[in-house]
Amino acid sequence: MSDENAKCSIASRPISDFRLSIITLLGVSAFLGITPFAVMRYLQGNLLAGLVDTTILLGICSALVYAWVTGDTRRSGVVVASVACGGAVVVGIVVGEPGLFWLYPCLVTTFFLVNPRIAVALNIASVIALMVHGGAFRSDVQMWSFASTAFVVSACAYVFAHRNHDQRERLEHLATIDPLTGIKNRRSMDQELDLAAANAERTGLPYALVMLDIDHFKKINDEHGHGVGDGVLTDLLALLKQNTRKSDQLFRYGGEEFVLLLPGVDGIGLKAVMNNLQQVLRKYMKHPGGSVTASFGVALLEHGESVDSWLARADAALYEAKEAGRDRVVFADAQRTPELAAETA
């Protein structure tokens, strides 16, 4: 990966990881908001309060660094939420009434940092701890008013966080699923191919990549309409799903092009799989003007090969299949592996 791509990847992480963005926001806010108070308390000679502020700041910043370095936002979120709530309680006990205000932002952010059960437990424990100590309150009325407002804030934060989570899941679904066919789109494919390449390097499991293109699809749309063309696409996907394994993954690459990821197959086994798919499509794919065929380009992932190179070899094999007359399978590895010789119509 180039330095420019690495910088773009780092810069985009808070955008793609919602919890990391919250941890980062809270870390920056803690640094800007707590540091002046810590300095002021040291200058005033209130060493205990200054040490509490410093400890909170170090705890949150350490969790922030850990989240960025490791990508483990789940543990980091628990640490940040615990430090923030625990620190707010200690500040309330040490400083008194002015310290109570620090708990409110903590009650809100816990629902964005950890799962709802942990957030509820942290919020309840924080409020009860302050109420049991009681030193921060001037009267019972103030204490119960604080408990009531803390409950309302927590309830509103829970509802908002829950709705936000649902909306993000829907957006992620829309961003990774092709709306017409219901299968994964190119964005999702890029992620899965990266995972496959990493797994192949770690375990040595072979992976085959198949790019397939429906022959003369534009002619089908032009002569019979896009409704018929959409029907051909859905029929193709149904046949592919029926004749592949659950571990195989299918993606829409664009238009009438699809990508099939086949883990754990190579050599003669891969050739048999491709022959079967070709024969199934020849036999069952129909439209008002006659039969429908497809061209296939196949590439086995090589050791140390990049995903871009892998895709390019499969695409070149597909192009060769179409140039050779369509309705055939071409293996990118055929020259190096004789048993993967191209199957012609």
Side-chain angles (χ1 to χ4, degrees), residues 236-255:
L236 170 69
L237 296 179
L239 287 173
L240 290 175
K241 289 178 180 179
Q242 291 170 8
N243 290 275
T244 53
R245 304 163 301 175
K246 289 184 178 180
S247 58
D248 300 332
Q249 297 192 66
L250 183 62
F251 311 93
R252 188 175 186 184
Y253 192 68

Side-chain angles (χ1 to χ4, degrees), residues 117-136:
R117 286 181 295 180
I118 296 178
V120 168
L122 283 172
N123 287 9
I124 291 175
S126 300
V127 174
I128 290 178
L130 284 170
M131 293 177 69
V132 170
H133 182 269

Side-chain angles (χ1 to χ4, degrees), residues 139-182:
S139 65
D140 289 344
V141 172
Q142 185 189 35
M143 181 178 70
W144 286 106
S145 296
F146 170 78
S148 299
T149 56
F151 171 77
V152 172
V153 167
S154 296
C156 292
Y158 169 77
V159 172
F160 182 78
H162 180 71
R163 291 295 301 273
N164 180 273
H165 177 73
D166 287 345
Q167 291 295 329
R168 282 190 291 112
E169 283 192 337
R170 292 179 184 178
L171 289 174
E172 288 174 2
H173 178 80
L174 292 173
T176 56
I177 300 297
D178 177 64
L180 173 63
T181 60

Side-chain angles (χ1 to χ4, degrees), residues 18-19 22 108-114 119 157 160-162 164 168:
F18 178 76
R19 185 176 290 170
I22 295 297
V108 174
T109 54
T110 52
F111 289 100
F112 297 93
L113 293 169
V114 296
F160 182 78
H162 180 71
N164 180 273
R168 282 190 291 112

Side-chain angles (χ1 to χ4, degrees), residues 14 24 31 33-34 68-69 75 85 91 100 103 113 129 132 134 152 165 183 206 229 231 233 275 284 292 300 315 327:
T24 303
F31 179 80
I34 297 176
W68 274 91
V69 171
R75 288 187 177 89
C85 288
V91 168
L100 295 176
L103 185 60
L113 293 169
V132 170
V152 172
H165 177 73
I183 63 172
L233 292 177
N275 285 342
Y284 295 106
V292 179
L300 279 168
D315 189 48
D327 187 23

Side-chain angles (χ1 to χ4, degrees), residues 29-317:
S29 299
F31 179 80
L32 296 176
I34 297 176
T35 302
F37 282 93
V39 173
M40 180 186 69
R41 282 161 183 161
Y42 281 126
L43 293 176
Q44 292 176 342
N46 191 348
L47 296 181
L48 179 58
L51 286 173
V52 170
D53 289 340
T54 302
T55 301
I56 296 171
L57 188 59
L58 289 176
I60 293 176
C61 290
S62 298
L64 172 61
V65 172
Y66 175 82
W68 274 91
V69 171
T70 66
D72 184 358
T73 57
R74 186 180 63 83
R75 288 187 177 89
S76 300
V78 172
V79 171
V80 171
S82 301
V83 169
C85 288
V89 170
V90 175
V91 168
I93 292 173
V94 173
V95 178
E97 183 180 354
L100 295 176
F101 297 101
W102 288 102
L103 185 60
Y104 287 107
C106 300
L107 297 177
V108 174
T109 54
T110 52
F111 289 100
F112 297 93
L113 293 169
V114 296
N115 70 57
R117 286 181 295 180
I118 296 178
V120 168
L122 283 172
N123 287 9
I124 291 175
S126 300
V127 174
I128 290 178
L130 284 170
M131 293 177 69
V132 170
H133 182 269
F137 305 104
R138 289 175 296 176
S139 65
D140 289 344
V141 172
Q142 185 189 35
M143 181 178 70
W144 286 106
S145 296
F146 170 78
S148 299
T149 56
F151 171 77
V152 172
V153 167
S154 296
C156 292
Y158 169 77
V159 172
F160 182 78
H162 180 71
R163 291 295 301 273
N164 180 273
H165 177 73
D166 287 345
Q167 291 295 329
R168 282 190 291 112
E169 283 192 337
R170 292 179 184 178
L171 289 174
E172 288 174 2
H173 178 80
L174 292 173
T176 56
I177 300 297
D178 177 64
L180 173 63
T181 60
I183 63 172
K184 295 178 180 180
N185 61 15
R186 188 167 180 174
R187 176 182 177 182
S188 182
M189 180 197 75
D190 292 338
Q191 298 172 351
E192 295 296 338
L193 293 188
D194 285 338
L195 292 174
N199 187 57
E201 286 296 305
R202 186 175 63 254
T203 65
L205 183 72
Y207 280 87
L209 189 66
V210 181
M211 295 193 71
L212 63 105
D213 183 280
I214 299 175
D215 297 328
H216 304 294
F217 185 72
K218 185 178 184 302
K219 184 178 179 181
I220 296 174
N221 277 334
D222 291 343
E223 295 184 356
H224 303 282
H226 288 277
V228 171
D230 290 347
V232 169
L233 292 177
T234 55
D235 290 345
L236 170 69
L237 296 179
L239 287 173
L240 290 175
K241 289 178 180 179
Q242 291 170 8
N243 290 275
T244 53
R245 304 163 301 175
K246 289 184 178 180
S247 58
D248 300 332
Q249 297 192 66
L250 183 62
F251 311 93
R252 188 175 186 184
Y253 192 68
E256 68 274 21
E257 283 190 313
F258 296 87
V259 169
L260 187 60
L261 178 63
L262 306 173
V265 292
D266 58 3
I268 301 301
L270 178 58
K271 181 179 177 181
V273 169
M274 297 312 304
N275 285 342
N276 177 64
L277 287 178
Q278 186 181 39
Q279 295 304 320
V280 166
L281 297 189
R282 283 174 175 172
K283 183 176 181 180
Y284 295 106
M285 284 291 294
K286 307 291 181 183
H287 77 292
S291 60
V292 179
T293 60
S295 301
F296 301 83
V298 188
L300 279 168
L301 178 64
E302 297 179 343
H303 178 68
E305 183 178 23
S306 68
V307 169
D308 288 341
S309 172
W310 189 20
L311 270 170
R313 289 193 301 112
D315 189 48

